[in-house]
């Protein structure tokens, strides 16, 4: 293999490039990204950047020196517009065709817009700076959608003294993902902090001075943030022969076709640990999958299935939620430690007869790690709760 092209210059793409070099790949390496920035971190956008606790110069994932040490041709501000899997070339917007022996697709997702395409979105640094410049104490932000991202932005805006309305069509925010009890706890948290939470009501459109709800009621607001889910960036792969189905479809090796691998938010792959196809939109997962895809590209038939326990965190006010596993489609949810009202708890998820996930707040990392290990070994649901293992002792 002489030439590898990685499309998408963010968490997954960067991890892929670094892994290729670490594993000894000495050929030509090109990293293409359509944003005007070198790889930067996205999770702080809805937290430290929006709250002005961080300046944006803390976001880059690597220094210029680290990037140049990788000996990678970094082409930022460059959009990939197509791939020819027979000729093995990636076409970019300038019309140039970049040849590859191996291709890693790491193009992430973009926010879903409402039909009128109005209101702020929050995915990129530019989005965050734009929204931030409009948020001052006393201004009214209306957030459409109380998923993790919308809820985090609402919490941050409250923190800087904005009035906040959070509108969510589901009766209980996030109930489909984390269950009713955790969803209700989150609702209470936001209401206690002064967010005007309107559940069971959808937004029909964003208008000049706010939003119009499905029933016709108008809620006025200075700014509207639309946070209603995301769409995988696979349009540029249409017609390539690669399988697209809510993401770029891959096997358990993260392979989408001969010489083509995918990683991060855009990749729908078969996770053998849970026996199902999944697409995961979490920061640490993106990096892990970038590494796995790069290794498997180099190893070919000696590659290893990618079977992680997905992890994510979400910061809302002073609460850090952490989750391991695959919570979607669960059959049962049970509080296994602590108390939701005290915001110190572990909630476990059963799918079939297995423990498939946990979500927690205020719990010692050691305890959480033991739950993670139980999920990784496909523990039966009726097993005793895992006990934290002793810290590894170093030999004297
Ligand atoms: C505001 C915000 C807060 C978040 N908070 C958390 C959190 O608290 N915890 C957590 O676990 N996760 C969080 N996430 C999710 C996390 O940031 C993502 O899972 C992670 O960024 C995914 O990395 P990625 O490399 O797969 O994709 P992305 O980071 O989306 O990067 C893909 C890159 O590819 C570029 N691209 C797309 N199409 C093309 C093309 N055709 N040609 C060239 N380039 C292209 C995109 O512009 C982008 O730069 C958050 C995300 C956001 C937006």
């Amino acid at each position: 293999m002489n030439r590898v092209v990685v499309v998408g210059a963010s968490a997954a793409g960067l991890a892929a490039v670094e892994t290729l070099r670490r594993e000894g790949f000495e050929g030509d390496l090109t990293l293409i990204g359509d944003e005007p920035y070198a790889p930067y971190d996205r999770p702080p956008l809805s937290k430290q950047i929006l709250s002005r606790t961080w300046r944006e110069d803390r976001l880059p994932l690597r220094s210029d020196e680290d990037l140049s040490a990788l000996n990678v041709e970094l082409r930022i501000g460059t959009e990939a517009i197509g791939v020819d899997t027979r000729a093995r070339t990636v076409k970019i917007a300038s019309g140039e065709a970049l040849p590859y022996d191996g291709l890693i697709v790491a193009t992430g997702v973009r926010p879903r817009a409402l039909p009128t395409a109005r209101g702020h979105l929050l995915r990129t640094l530019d989005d965050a700076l734009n929204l931030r410049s409009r948020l001052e104490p006393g201004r009214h932000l209306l957030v459409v959608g109380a998923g993790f991202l919308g809820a985090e932005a609402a919490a941050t805006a409250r923190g800087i003294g904005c009035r906040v309305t959070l509108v969510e069509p589901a009766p209980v925010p996030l109930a489909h993902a984390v269950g009713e009890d955790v969803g209700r706890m989150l609702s209470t948290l936001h209401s206690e902090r002064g967010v005007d939470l309107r559940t069971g009501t959808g937004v029909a459109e964003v208008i000049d001075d706010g939003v119009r709800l499905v029933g016709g009621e108008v809620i006025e607001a200075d700014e509207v943030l639309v946070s209603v889910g995301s769409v995988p960036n696979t349009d540029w792969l249409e017609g390539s022969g690669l399988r697209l189905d809510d993401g770029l479809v891959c096997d358990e090796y993260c392979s989408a076709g001969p010489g083509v691998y995918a990683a991060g938010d855009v990749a729908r792959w078969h996770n053998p640990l849970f026996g199902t196809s999944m697409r995961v939109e979490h920061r640490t997962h993106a990096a892990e999958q970038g590494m796995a895809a790069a290794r498997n590209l180099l190893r070919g038939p000696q590659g290893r299935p990618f079977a992680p326990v997905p992890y994510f965190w979400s910061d809302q006010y002073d609460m850090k939620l952490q989750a391991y596993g695959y919570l979607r489609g669960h059959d049962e949810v049970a509080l296994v430690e602590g108390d939701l009202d005290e915001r110190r708890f572990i909630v476990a998820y059963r799918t079939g007869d297995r423990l498939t996930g946990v979500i927690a707040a205020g719990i010692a990392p050691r305890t959480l790690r033991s739950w993670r290990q139980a999920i990784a070994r496909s523990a039966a649901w009726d097993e005793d709760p895992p006990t934290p293992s002793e810290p590894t002792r170093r030999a004297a």
Side-chain angles (χ1 to χ4, degrees):
M1 175 142 12
N2 295 317
R3 289 169 301 203
V4 175
V5 173
V6 178
V7 184
S10 183
L14 176 67
V17 160
E18 291 184 327
T19 305
L20 288 167
R21 287 299 188 221
R22 210 170 30 242
E23 298 274 319
F25 175 69
E26 290 178 350
D28 292 344
L29 193 46
T30 306
L31 178 60
I32 299 175
D34 61 0
E35 289 185 70
Y37 308 105
Y40 65 88
D41 209 16
R42 256 173 245 287
L45 298 181
S46 51
K47 310 171 181 72
Q48 295 88 342
I49 294 296
L50 211 52
S51 66
R52 298 184 173 85
T53 350
W54 283 13
R55 284 176 15 175
E56 49 277 25
D57 57 9
R58 287 183 68 171
L59 288 185
L61 288 171
R62 296 294 177 269
S63 64
D64 290 346
E65 296 76 44
D66 289 341
L67 288 175
S68 59
L70 284 171
N71 189 20
V72 56
E73 188 189 359
L74 177 60
R75 299 183 69 150
I76 55 174
T78 300
E79 187 190 2
I81 56 169
V83 59
D84 182 335
T85 48
R86 285 218 191 110
R88 294 203 177 197
T89 53
V90 171
K91 192 169 175 196
I92 57 175
S94 64
E96 211 180 323
L98 308 179
Y100 68 81
D101 302 310
L103 169 66
I104 296 181
V105 175
T107 42
V109 298
R110 62 180 178 278
R112 192 182 296 284
L114 286 176
T116 49
R118 295 173 74 180
H120 293 271
L121 301 172
L122 183 51
R123 183 75 195 172
T124 65
L125 173 57
D126 291 347
D127 293 339
L129 295 179
N130 185 24
L131 178 59
R132 182 173 84 176
S133 71
R134 314 285 299 183
L135 296 184
E136 299 290 343
R139 281 181 74 82
H140 183 190
L141 173 70
L142 185 144
V143 182
V144 187
F148 283 110
L149 184 60
E152 272 191 4
T156 306
R158 279 301 296 147
I160 55 179
C162 294
R163 288 193 295 133
V164 177
T165 304
L166 186 52
V167 181
E168 164 62 43
V172 179
L174 286 166
H176 68 286
V178 294
E180 300 254 327
D181 291 345
V182 178
R184 241 179 251 116
M185 180 274 295
L186 289 169
S187 302
T188 310
L189 175 69
H190 285 281
S191 300
E192 281 175 7
R193 299 299 179 114
V195 170
D196 178 10
L197 179 61
R198 309 273 190 106
T199 55
T201 183
V203 166
E205 60 174 338
V206 179
I207 52 177
D208 278 348
D209 47 2
V211 298
R212 190 186 315 281
L213 300 180
V214 172
E217 186 193 343
V218 167
I219 308 181
E220 289 185 3
D222 298 311
E223 304 296 330
V224 175
L225 169 64
V226 176
S227 180
V228 293
S230 52
V231 185
N233 286 322
T234 52
D235 317 34
W236 67 287
L237 298 169
E238 298 281 352
S240 64
L242 295 167
R243 210 172 129 223
L244 308 178
D245 182 7
D246 182 36
L248 174 55
V249 179
C250 303
D251 62 15
E252 66 263 47
Y253 300 92
C254 309
S255 169
V260 183
Y261 288 74
D265 288 11
V266 74
R268 167 167 293 285
W269 94 111
H270 181 83
N271 184 339
L273 180 59
F274 297 88
T276 188
S277 136
M278 58 177 74
R279 195 169 62 69
V280 173
E281 294 184 23
H282 305 322
R283 171 66 182 83
T284 51
H285 170 84
E288 280 174 24
Q289 196 168 21
M291 293 186 229
R295 282 194 208 105
N296 284 346
L297 169 64
L298 292 178
R299 288 180 187 154
Q302 275 78 50
R304 294 207 191 117
F306 180 57
V309 176
Y311 165 78
F312 78 88
W313 80 97
S314 174
D315 296 325
Q316 298 181 32
Y317 309 101
D318 46 7
M319 185 178 72
K320 180 181 276 299
L321 274 175
Q322 298 191 82
Y324 284 105
Y326 191 63
L327 316 184
R328 209 163 292 170
H330 56 260
D331 298 313
E332 186 182 343
V333 188
L335 178 72
V336 291
E337 186 173 328
D339 186 330
L340 282 166
D341 292 336
E342 288 172 14
R343 286 159 205 154
R344 200 200 67 77
F345 60 85
I346 302 178
V347 166
Y349 296 79
R350 172 180 72 77
T351 309
D353 56 3
R354 280 180 53 187
L355 168 72
T356 44
V358 289
I359 193 163
I363 297 292
R366 206 155 68 87
T367 306
L368 263 187
R369 276 199 300 273
S370 63
W371 282 91
R372 184 204 165 280
Q373 282 156 8
I375 299 165
R377 64 180 161 75
S378 305
W381 178 252
D382 52 13
E383 267 183 32
D384 288 339
T387 46
S389 49
E390 286 301 310
T392 318
R393 288 182 215 287
R394 285 184 191 192

